[in-house]
Amino acid sequence: MQNPGFIFGCGAQGRVVLDILRAQFPGRSLYFVDENSSLWKTKINTVEVIGGMEAMLAIDKKPSIHIALGNPHTRKKIVSTLKNYKVDFLSAIHPSSIVMPTCELGAGLMIGAGVIINSNTHVEDFCI
């Protein structure tokens, strides 16, 4: 059984990532993580918002997490914070995307439905 997957951010970007991860990992338990306490213990698209980073680390000491924030500066800040912990940065790659075998893919990135990444492309960490 796979360990749970966590999605940091439950706004529009997080909801897109949720759909990708559901297609990529059918049956995997997924949770939202968000620092907005008014969202804690709610559900978005049937997925629980468990709380902030502390709640996630209480559930899993080495979580698999995708940073689903559209703002690159905020995403970079959260990545920097989480690099202090033992986390696995989860890439969300939709099964309908086409990634050529000569591509180099970074960690924690998002590749949406129908995307084609051609030969010899290098995609940096945490790109959307």
Side-chain angles (χ1 to χ4, degrees):
M1 187 170 144
Q2 291 178 320
N3 61 333
F6 298 93
I7 303 167
F8 189 96
C10 52
Q13 185 69 26
R15 295 167 197 209
V16 170
V17 168
L18 172 63
D19 289 339
I20 292 170
L21 292 177
R22 281 178 166 164
Q24 184 179 1
F25 302 109
R28 186 175 193 174
S29 297
L30 298 169
Y31 300 96
F32 280 115
V33 176
D34 202 293
E35 294 301 314
N36 181 349
S37 61
S38 69
L39 297 171
W40 297 357
K41 304 301 179 196
T42 66
K43 287 190 176 186
I44 296 177
N45 294 358
T46 72
V47 172
E48 183 181 359
V49 182
I50 60 165
M53 280 190 254
E54 296 80 18
M56 174 187 67
L57 293 168
I59 292 171
D60 193 334
K61 297 297 180 201
K62 189 178 180 203
S64 293
I65 185 167
H66 182 90
I67 312 304
L69 302 172
N71 183 305
H73 303 292
T74 307
R75 192 168 57 250
K76 185 176 181 178
K77 181 180 173 185
I78 298 300
V79 166
S80 294
T81 300
L82 286 172
K83 282 187 174 180
N84 295 322
Y85 299 93
K86 293 179 180 181
V87 300
D88 173 32
F89 289 106
L90 181 63
S91 289
I93 303 172
H94 197 278
S96 72
S97 65
I98 299 171
V99 179
M100 297 301 161
T102 56
C103 294
E104 295 179 34
L105 301 180
L109 53 86
M110 188 205 95
I111 300 173
V115 170
I116 299 171
I117 301 182
N118 286 307
S119 296
N120 301 100
T121 302
H122 178 79
V123 182
E124 295 287 331
D125 293 347
F126 310 105
C127 284
I128 298 172

